Amino acid sequence: MTKRIQYTVHGEVQGVNFRSFTQSKASSYGLTGWVKNVSGGKVEGEAQGDEESIQKLLKVLESGPSAASVTKVEKSDIDVKEGESSYTTK
């Protein structure tokens, strides 16, 4: 069953290739959605796909790339979106 989540990653997550890392991992898991930097030094995004793939992404978001220092990952379930074909960086 397809589901979609919204997530926000807190910590030292900007300027450390976090968006590129997330896009690469999400794509490799077959997810669609997007990731972007937001004010306050956070990264947020949405991911859509099967439950197992979303859980894999959430696990890697907890640590991020080697230069990152993640303090918290918040997530919530949201409505599935039709028409996406890839995972993009905004």
Coordinates of all heavy atoms in Angstrom, one line a residue:
M1 N 0.8 -1.2 0.0 CA 0.0 0.0 0.0 C 0.9 1.3 0.0 O 1.8 1.4 0.8 CB -0.9 0.0 1.2 CG -1.8 1.2 1.3 SD -3.0 1.0 2.7 CE -3.2 2.7 3.1
T2 N 0.6 2.2 -0.9 CA 1.3 3.4 -0.9 C 0.9 4.4 0.2 O -0.3 4.5 0.5 CB 1.1 4.1 -2.3 OG1 1.5 3.2 -3.3 CG2 1.9 5.4 -2.4
K3 N 1.9 5.0 0.8 CA 1.6 6.1 1.7 C 2.6 7.2 1.5 O 3.5 7.1 0.7 CB 1.8 5.5 3.2 CG 3.2 5.2 3.6 CD 3.2 4.6 5.0 CE 3.2 5.8 6.0 NZ 3.3 5.4 7.4
R4 N 2.3 8.4 2.1 CA 3.1 9.6 2.0 C 3.3 10.2 3.4 O 2.4 10.2 4.2 CB 2.5 10.6 1.0 CG 3.3 11.8 0.7 CD 2.7 12.6 -0.3 NE 3.5 13.7 -0.8 CZ 4.3 13.6 -1.9 NH1 4.3 12.5 -2.7 NH2 5.1 14.6 -2.3
I5 N 4.6 10.6 3.6 CA 4.9 11.3 4.8 C 5.5 12.7 4.5 O 6.0 12.9 3.5 CB 5.9 10.5 5.7 CG1 7.2 10.3 5.0 CG2 5.3 9.2 6.1 CD1 8.4 9.9 5.9
Q6 N 5.4 13.6 5.5 CA 6.1 14.8 5.5 C 7.1 14.7 6.7 O 6.8 14.1 7.7 CB 5.1 16.0 5.8 CG 5.7 17.4 5.7 CD 6.4 17.8 7.0 OE1 6.1 17.4 8.1 NE2 7.5 18.6 6.8
Y7 N 8.3 15.2 6.5 CA 9.3 15.1 7.5 C 10.1 16.4 7.7 O 10.2 17.2 6.7 CB 10.3 13.9 7.3 CG 11.0 14.0 6.0 CD1 12.2 14.7 6.0 CD2 10.6 13.4 4.9 CE1 13.0 14.9 4.8 CE2 11.3 13.5 3.7 CZ 12.5 14.2 3.7 OH 13.2 14.3 2.5
T8 N 10.6 16.7 8.9 CA 11.5 17.8 9.1 C 12.6 17.2 9.9 O 12.5 16.5 10.9 CB 10.8 18.9 10.0 OG1 9.6 19.3 9.3 CG2 11.7 20.1 10.2
V9 N 13.9 17.6 9.5 CA 15.1 17.1 10.1 C 15.8 18.3 10.8 O 16.0 19.3 10.1 CB 16.0 16.4 9.1 CG1 17.3 15.9 9.8 CG2 15.3 15.4 8.3
H10 N 16.1 18.2 12.1 CA 16.7 19.2 12.9 C 18.1 18.9 13.1 O 18.5 17.7 13.2 CB 16.0 19.4 14.2 CG 14.5 19.7 14.1 ND1 14.0 20.9 14.3 CD2 13.5 18.9 13.8 CE1 12.7 20.9 14.1 NE2 12.3 19.7 13.8
G11 N 19.0 19.9 13.3 CA 20.4 19.7 13.7 C 21.3 20.4 12.7 O 20.9 21.4 12.1
E12 N 22.5 19.9 12.6 CA 23.5 20.5 11.6 C 23.2 19.8 10.3 O 23.9 18.8 10.0 CB 24.9 20.3 12.2 CG 26.0 20.9 11.3 CD 26.0 22.4 11.4 OE1 25.7 23.0 12.5 OE2 26.3 23.1 10.4
V13 N 22.2 20.3 9.5 CA 21.8 19.6 8.3 C 21.8 20.4 7.1 O 21.4 19.9 6.0 CB 20.4 18.9 8.5 CG1 20.4 17.8 9.6 CG2 19.3 20.0 8.9
Q14 N 22.3 21.6 7.2 CA 22.4 22.5 6.0 C 23.9 22.7 5.7 O 24.7 22.8 6.6 CB 21.7 23.8 6.1 CG 20.2 23.6 6.1 CD 19.5 25.0 6.0 OE1 20.1 26.0 5.9 NE2 18.1 24.9 6.1
G15 N 24.3 22.7 4.4 CA 25.7 22.9 4.1 C 26.5 21.6 4.2 O 27.8 21.7 4.3
V16 N 25.9 20.4 4.4 CA 26.6 19.2 4.6 C 26.1 18.1 3.6 O 26.2 16.9 3.8 CB 26.4 18.7 6.0 CG1 27.1 19.6 7.0 CG2 24.9 18.5 6.4
N17 N 25.6 18.6 2.5 CA 25.1 17.7 1.4 C 23.9 16.8 1.8 O 23.7 15.7 1.3 CB 26.2 16.8 0.9 CG 27.2 17.6 0.1 OD1 26.9 18.4 -0.7 ND2 28.5 17.3 0.4
F18 N 23.1 17.3 2.8 CA 22.0 16.5 3.3 C 20.9 16.3 2.2 O 20.4 15.2 2.1 CB 21.3 17.2 4.5 CG 20.6 16.2 5.4 CD1 21.2 15.7 6.5 CD2 19.3 15.9 5.1 CE1 20.5 14.8 7.3 CE2 18.6 15.0 5.9 CZ 19.2 14.4 7.0
R19 N 20.6 17.3 1.4 CA 19.5 17.2 0.4 C 20.0 16.2 -0.7 O 19.2 15.4 -1.1 CB 19.2 18.6 -0.2 CG 18.4 19.5 0.8 CD 18.2 20.8 0.2 NE 19.5 21.4 -0.1 CZ 19.7 22.4 -1.1 NH1 18.7 22.8 -1.8 NH2 20.9 22.9 -1.3
S20 N 21.2 16.3 -1.1 CA 21.7 15.4 -2.1 C 21.7 13.9 -1.6 O 21.3 13.0 -2.3 CB 23.1 15.8 -2.5 OG 23.7 14.9 -3.4
F21 N 22.1 13.8 -0.4 CA 22.1 12.5 0.3 C 20.7 11.9 0.3 O 20.5 10.7 0.0 CB 22.7 12.6 1.7 CG 22.5 11.5 2.6 CD1 23.5 10.4 2.6 CD2 21.5 11.4 3.5 CE1 23.3 9.3 3.5 CE2 21.3 10.3 4.4 CZ 22.2 9.3 4.3
T22 N 19.8 12.7 0.8 CA 18.4 12.3 0.9 C 17.8 11.9 -0.5 O 17.1 10.9 -0.6 CB 17.5 13.4 1.5 OG1 18.1 13.7 2.8 CG2 16.1 12.9 1.7
Q23 N 18.1 12.8 -1.5 CA 17.5 12.5 -2.8 C 18.1 11.2 -3.4 O 17.4 10.4 -3.9 CB 17.9 13.7 -3.7 CG 17.3 13.6 -5.1 CD 18.0 12.8 -6.1 OE1 19.3 12.7 -6.1 NE2 17.3 12.2 -7.1
S24 N 19.4 10.9 -3.1 CA 20.0 9.7 -3.6 C 19.4 8.5 -2.9 O 19.1 7.5 -3.6 CB 21.5 9.8 -3.4 OG 22.1 8.6 -3.7
K25 N 19.3 8.5 -1.6 CA 18.7 7.4 -0.8 C 17.3 7.2 -1.2 O 16.9 6.0 -1.5 CB 18.9 7.6 0.7 CG 20.3 7.7 1.2 CD 20.9 6.3 1.1 CE 22.3 6.3 1.8 NZ 22.9 5.0 1.6
A26 N 16.5 8.2 -1.3 CA 15.1 8.1 -1.6 C 14.9 7.5 -3.0 O 14.0 6.6 -3.2 CB 14.3 9.4 -1.5
S27 N 15.6 7.9 -3.9 CA 15.6 7.4 -5.3 C 15.9 5.9 -5.3 O 15.3 5.1 -6.0 CB 16.5 8.2 -6.2 OG 16.0 9.5 -6.4
S28 N 17.0 5.6 -4.6 CA 17.4 4.2 -4.6 C 16.4 3.2 -3.9 O 16.3 2.1 -4.2 CB 18.8 4.0 -3.8 OG 18.6 4.1 -2.4
Y29 N 15.5 3.8 -3.1 CA 14.5 3.0 -2.4 C 13.2 3.0 -3.2 O 12.2 2.5 -2.8 CB 14.2 3.5 -1.0 CG 15.3 3.5 -0.1 CD1 15.4 4.5 0.9 CD2 16.4 2.6 -0.2 CE1 16.5 4.5 1.8 CE2 17.4 2.6 0.7 CZ 17.5 3.5 1.7 OH 18.6 3.5 2.6
G30 N 13.2 3.7 -4.4 CA 12.0 3.8 -5.3 C 10.9 4.8 -4.8 O 9.8 4.6 -5.2
L31 N 11.3 5.7 -4.0 CA 10.4 6.7 -3.4 C 10.2 7.9 -4.4 O 11.2 8.2 -5.1 CB 10.8 7.2 -2.1 CG 10.9 6.1 -1.0 CD1 11.5 6.7 0.3 CD2 9.5 5.6 -0.7
T32 N 9.1 8.6 -4.3 CA 8.9 9.9 -5.0 C 8.7 10.9 -3.9 O 8.4 10.6 -2.8 CB 7.7 9.9 -6.0 OG1 6.5 9.6 -5.2 CG2 7.9 8.8 -7.0
G33 N 8.9 12.2 -4.3 CA 8.7 13.3 -3.4 C 9.7 14.4 -3.6 O 10.2 14.6 -4.7
W34 N 10.1 15.1 -2.5 CA 11.1 16.2 -2.6 C 11.7 16.5 -1.3 O 11.2 16.0 -0.2 CB 10.4 17.4 -3.2 CG 9.1 17.8 -2.4 CD1 7.8 17.5 -2.6 CD2 9.1 18.6 -1.2 NE1 7.0 18.0 -1.7 CE2 7.7 18.7 -0.8 CE3 10.0 19.3 -0.4 CZ2 7.3 19.4 0.4 CZ3 9.6 20.0 0.7 CH2 8.3 20.0 1.1
V35 N 12.8 17.2 -1.3 CA 13.5 17.7 -0.1 C 14.0 19.1 -0.3 O 14.4 19.4 -1.5 CB 14.7 16.7 0.3 CG1 15.7 16.6 -0.9 CG2 15.3 17.1 1.6
K36 N 14.0 19.9 0.7 CA 14.5 21.3 0.6 C 15.0 21.8 1.9 O 14.6 21.3 3.0 CB 13.5 22.2 0.0 CG 12.3 22.5 1.0 CD 11.3 23.5 0.4 CE 10.2 23.8 1.3 NZ 9.2 24.7 0.8
N37 N 15.9 22.8 1.9 CA 16.3 23.6 3.1 C 15.2 24.5 3.5 O 14.5 25.1 2.6 CB 17.6 24.4 2.8 CG 18.8 23.5 2.7 OD1 18.9 22.4 3.2 ND2 19.8 24.0 2.1
V38 N 15.0 24.7 4.7 CA 14.0 25.7 5.2 C 14.7 26.6 6.3 O 15.7 26.2 6.8 CB 12.7 25.0 5.8 CG1 11.9 24.4 4.7 CG2 13.0 24.0 6.9
S39 N 14.0 27.6 6.7 CA 14.6 28.6 7.7 C 14.8 27.9 9.0 O 14.2 26.8 9.3 CB 13.6 29.8 7.8 OG 12.4 29.3 8.3
G40 N 15.7 28.4 9.7 CA 16.0 27.8 11.0 C 17.1 26.7 10.9 O 17.3 25.9 11.9
G41 N 17.7 26.5 9.7 CA 18.7 25.5 9.6 C 18.2 24.1 9.4 O 18.9 23.1 9.6
K42 N 16.9 23.9 9.1 CA 16.3 22.6 9.0 C 16.2 22.2 7.6 O 16.3 23.0 6.7 CB 14.9 22.6 9.7 CG 14.9 22.9 11.2 CD 13.5 23.0 11.7 CE 12.9 24.2 11.3 NZ 12.1 24.9 12.4
V43 N 15.9 20.9 7.4 CA 15.6 20.3 6.1 C 14.2 19.7 6.2 O 13.9 19.0 7.2 CB 16.7 19.3 5.7 CG1 16.2 18.5 4.5 CG2 18.0 19.9 5.4
E44 N 13.4 19.9 5.2 CA 12.1 19.2 5.2 C 11.8 18.6 3.8 O 12.4 19.0 2.8 CB 11.0 20.2 5.6 CG 10.5 21.2 4.6 CD 9.3 22.0 5.1 OE1 9.1 22.1 6.3 OE2 8.7 22.6 4.2
G45 N 10.9 17.7 3.8 CA 10.5 17.1 2.6 C 9.3 16.2 2.7 O 8.7 16.1 3.8
E46 N 9.0 15.6 1.6 CA 7.9 14.6 1.6 C 8.4 13.4 0.8 O 9.3 13.5 0.0 CB 6.7 15.2 0.8 CG 6.1 16.3 1.5 CD 4.8 16.9 0.9 OE1 4.4 16.3 -0.2 OE2 4.3 17.9 1.3
A47 N 7.9 12.2 1.2 CA 8.3 11.0 0.6 C 7.1 10.1 0.4 O 6.3 10.0 1.3 CB 9.4 10.2 1.4
Q48 N 7.0 9.4 -0.7 CA 5.9 8.6 -1.0 C 6.4 7.2 -1.6 O 7.3 7.2 -2.4 CB 5.0 9.3 -2.0 CG 3.7 8.5 -2.4 CD 2.8 9.3 -3.2 OE1 2.4 10.4 -2.8 NE2 2.4 8.9 -4.4
G49 N 5.7 6.2 -1.1 CA 6.1 4.8 -1.6 C 5.5 3.8 -0.6 O 4.6 4.1 0.2
D50 N 6.1 2.6 -0.7 CA 5.6 1.6 0.3 C 6.2 1.8 1.6 O 7.2 2.5 1.8 CB 6.0 0.2 -0.3 CG 7.4 -0.1 -0.4 OD1 8.1 -0.3 0.7 OD2 8.0 0.0 -1.5
E51 N 5.6 1.2 2.6 CA 5.9 1.4 4.0 C 7.4 1.0 4.3 O 8.1 1.7 5.0 CB 5.0 0.5 4.9 CG 5.3 0.6 6.4 CD 5.0 1.9 7.1 OE1 4.0 2.5 6.6 OE2 5.7 2.3 8.0
E52 N 7.8 -0.1 3.8 CA 9.2 -0.6 4.0 C 10.2 0.4 3.5 O 11.2 0.7 4.2 CB 9.4 -1.9 3.3 CG 10.8 -2.5 3.6 CD 11.0 -3.8 2.9 OE1 10.1 -4.5 2.4 OE2 12.2 -4.3 2.9
S53 N 10.0 1.0 2.3 CA 10.9 1.9 1.8 C 10.9 3.2 2.6 O 12.0 3.9 2.8 CB 10.6 2.2 0.3 OG 10.8 1.0 -0.5
I54 N 9.8 3.7 3.0 CA 9.7 4.9 3.8 C 10.4 4.7 5.1 O 11.1 5.6 5.6 CB 8.2 5.3 4.0 CG1 7.7 5.9 2.7 CG2 8.1 6.3 5.2 CD1 6.2 6.3 2.7
Q55 N 10.3 3.5 5.7 CA 11.0 3.2 7.0 C 12.5 3.2 6.8 O 13.2 3.7 7.6 CB 10.5 1.9 7.6 CG 9.1 2.0 8.1 CD 8.9 3.1 9.1 OE1 9.7 3.3 10.0 NE2 7.7 3.8 9.0
K56 N 13.0 2.7 5.6 CA 14.4 2.8 5.3 C 14.9 4.2 5.2 O 15.9 4.5 5.8 CB 14.7 2.1 4.0 CG 14.6 0.6 4.0 CD 15.0 0.1 2.6 CE 14.8 -1.4 2.5 NZ 15.1 -1.9 1.1
L57 N 14.1 5.0 4.6 CA 14.5 6.5 4.4 C 14.5 7.1 5.8 O 15.5 7.8 6.1 CB 13.5 7.2 3.5 CG 13.9 8.7 3.3 CD1 15.2 8.9 2.6 CD2 12.8 9.4 2.6
L58 N 13.5 6.9 6.6 CA 13.5 7.5 8.0 C 14.7 7.1 8.8 O 15.3 7.9 9.5 CB 12.2 7.2 8.7 CG 10.9 7.9 8.2 CD1 9.7 7.3 8.8 CD2 11.0 9.4 8.4
K59 N 15.1 5.9 8.6 CA 16.3 5.4 9.4 C 17.5 6.1 9.0 O 18.3 6.6 9.8 CB 16.4 3.9 9.2 CG 17.6 3.3 10.0 CD 17.3 1.8 10.3 CE 18.4 1.2 11.2 NZ 18.5 1.8 12.5
V60 N 17.8 6.3 7.6 CA 19.0 7.0 7.2 C 18.9 8.5 7.5 O 19.9 9.2 7.7 CB 19.3 6.8 5.7 CG1 19.6 5.3 5.5 CG2 18.3 7.3 4.8
L61 N 17.7 9.1 7.6 CA 17.5 10.5 7.9 C 18.0 10.8 9.3 O 18.4 11.9 9.7 CB 16.1 11.0 7.7 CG 15.6 11.1 6.3 CD1 14.1 11.5 6.3 CD2 16.4 12.0 5.5
E62 N 17.9 9.7 10.2 CA 18.3 9.9 11.6 C 19.8 10.2 11.8 O 20.2 10.8 12.8 CB 17.8 8.7 12.4 CG 16.4 8.6 12.6 CD 15.9 7.3 13.3 OE1 16.8 6.5 13.7 OE2 14.7 7.1 13.4
S63 N 20.6 9.7 10.8 CA 22.0 10.0 10.9 C 22.5 10.9 9.8 O 23.3 11.7 10.0 CB 22.8 8.7 10.8 OG 22.4 7.9 9.6
G64 N 21.9 10.8 8.6 CA 22.3 11.7 7.4 C 23.7 11.4 6.9 O 24.3 10.4 7.3
P65 N 24.2 12.2 6.1 CA 25.6 12.1 5.6 C 26.6 12.3 6.7 O 26.2 12.8 7.8 CB 25.7 13.1 4.5 CG 24.7 14.2 4.9 CD 23.6 13.5 5.6
S66 N 27.8 11.9 6.5 CA 28.8 11.9 7.6 C 29.1 13.2 8.2 O 29.4 13.3 9.4 CB 30.1 11.3 7.1 OG 30.6 12.0 6.0
A67 N 28.9 14.3 7.5 CA 29.2 15.7 8.0 C 28.0 16.2 8.8 O 28.1 17.2 9.5 CB 29.5 16.6 6.9
A68 N 26.8 15.5 8.8 CA 25.6 16.0 9.4 C 25.6 15.6 10.9 O 26.3 14.7 11.3 CB 24.4 15.5 8.7
S69 N 24.8 16.4 11.7 CA 24.6 16.0 13.1 C 23.1 16.2 13.3 O 22.6 17.3 13.6 CB 25.4 16.9 14.0 OG 25.1 16.7 15.3
V70 N 22.4 15.1 13.2 CA 20.9 15.2 13.3 C 20.5 15.1 14.8 O 21.0 14.2 15.5 CB 20.2 14.0 12.5 CG1 18.7 14.0 12.7 CG2 20.6 14.1 11.0
T71 N 19.6 16.0 15.2 CA 19.2 16.0 16.6 C 17.8 15.5 16.7 O 17.4 14.9 17.7 CB 19.2 17.4 17.2 OG1 18.5 18.3 16.5 CG2 20.7 17.9 17.3
K72 N 17.0 15.6 15.6 CA 15.6 15.1 15.7 C 15.0 15.0 14.3 O 15.3 15.8 13.4 CB 14.7 16.1 16.5 CG 13.3 15.8 16.6 CD 12.5 16.7 17.6 CE 12.5 18.1 17.3 NZ 11.6 18.9 18.1
V73 N 14.1 14.0 14.1 CA 13.4 13.9 12.8 C 11.9 13.8 13.2 O 11.5 12.9 14.0 CB 13.8 12.6 12.0 CG1 12.9 12.5 10.8 CG2 15.3 12.6 11.7
E74 N 11.2 14.8 12.7 CA 9.7 14.7 12.9 C 9.0 14.3 11.7 O 9.5 14.6 10.6 CB 9.2 16.2 13.2 CG 9.8 16.8 14.5 CD 9.3 18.2 14.7 OE1 9.5 19.0 13.7 OE2 8.8 18.5 15.8
K75 N 8.0 13.5 11.8 CA 7.3 13.0 10.6 C 5.8 12.9 10.9 O 5.4 12.7 12.0 CB 7.8 11.7 10.1 CG 7.3 10.5 11.0 CD 7.0 9.3 10.1 CE 6.4 8.2 10.8 NZ 5.0 7.9 10.4
S76 N 5.0 13.1 9.8 CA 3.6 12.9 9.9 C 3.1 12.3 8.6 O 3.7 12.5 7.5 CB 2.9 14.2 10.2 OG 3.2 15.2 9.2
D77 N 2.0 11.6 8.7 CA 1.4 11.0 7.5 C 0.5 12.1 6.8 O -0.2 12.8 7.5 CB 0.5 9.8 7.9 CG 1.3 8.6 8.4 OD1 2.5 8.5 8.1 OD2 0.7 7.8 9.2
I78 N 0.6 12.1 5.5 CA -0.2 13.0 4.7 C -0.8 12.3 3.5 O -0.5 11.1 3.3 CB 0.6 14.3 4.2 CG1 1.8 13.8 3.4 CG2 1.1 15.1 5.4 CD1 2.6 15.0 2.7
D79 N -1.7 13.0 2.8 CA -2.4 12.4 1.7 C -1.4 12.1 0.5 O -0.5 12.8 0.2 CB -3.5 13.3 1.1 CG -4.6 13.4 2.1 OD1 -4.8 12.5 3.0 OD2 -5.4 14.4 2.0
V80 N -1.6 10.9 -0.1 CA -0.9 10.5 -1.3 C -1.1 11.5 -2.4 O -2.2 12.0 -2.6 CB -1.3 9.1 -1.7 CG1 -0.7 8.7 -3.0 CG2 -0.9 8.1 -0.6
K81 N 0.0 11.8 -3.2 CA -0.1 12.7 -4.3 C 0.1 11.9 -5.6 O 1.0 11.0 -5.7 CB 0.9 13.8 -4.3 CG 0.6 14.8 -3.2 CD 1.6 16.0 -3.2 CE 1.3 16.9 -2.1 NZ 2.4 17.9 -2.0
E82 N -0.7 12.1 -6.6 CA -0.6 11.4 -7.9 C 0.3 12.2 -8.8 O 0.4 13.5 -8.7 CB -2.0 11.3 -8.5 CG -3.0 10.5 -7.7 CD -2.5 9.0 -7.4 OE1 -1.9 8.5 -8.3 OE2 -2.8 8.5 -6.3
G83 N 0.9 11.6 -9.8 CA 1.6 12.2 -10.8 C 3.1 12.5 -10.6 O 3.8 13.0 -11.5
E84 N 3.7 12.1 -9.5 CA 5.1 12.3 -9.3 C 5.8 11.1 -9.9 O 5.3 9.9 -9.8 CB 5.4 12.3 -7.8 CG 5.2 13.6 -7.1 CD 5.6 13.6 -5.7 OE1 5.6 12.5 -5.0 OE2 5.9 14.7 -5.2
S85 N 7.0 11.3 -10.5 CA 7.7 10.2 -11.1 C 9.2 10.1 -10.5 O 9.9 9.1 -10.9 CB 7.8 10.4 -12.6 OG 8.5 11.6 -12.9
S86 N 9.6 11.0 -9.6 CA 10.9 11.0 -9.1 C 11.0 11.7 -7.8 O 10.0 12.2 -7.3 CB 11.9 11.6 -10.1 OG 11.6 13.0 -10.2
Y87 N 12.2 11.6 -7.2 CA 12.5 12.3 -5.9 C 13.4 13.5 -6.2 O 14.5 13.3 -6.8 CB 13.1 11.4 -4.9 CG 12.9 11.9 -3.5 CD1 11.9 11.4 -2.7 CD2 13.8 12.8 -2.9 CE1 11.7 11.9 -1.4 CE2 13.6 13.3 -1.7 CZ 12.5 12.8 -0.9 OH 12.3 13.3 0.3
T88 N 13.0 14.7 -5.9 CA 13.7 15.9 -6.4 C 14.2 16.7 -5.2 O 13.7 16.6 -4.1 CB 12.8 16.8 -7.2 OG1 11.7 17.2 -6.5 CG2 12.3 16.0 -8.5
T89 N 15.2 17.5 -5.5 CA 15.8 18.5 -4.5 C 15.2 19.9 -5.0 O 15.3 20.2 -6.1 CB 17.3 18.5 -4.6 OG1 17.8 17.2 -4.2 CG2 17.9 19.5 -3.6
K90 N 14.7 20.6 -4.0 CA 14.2 21.9 -4.3 C 15.2 23.0 -3.8 O 15.9 22.7 -2.9 CB 12.8 22.2 -3.6 CG 11.7 21.3 -4.2 CD 10.4 21.7 -3.6 CE 9.3 21.0 -4.3 NZ 8.0 21.4 -3.8

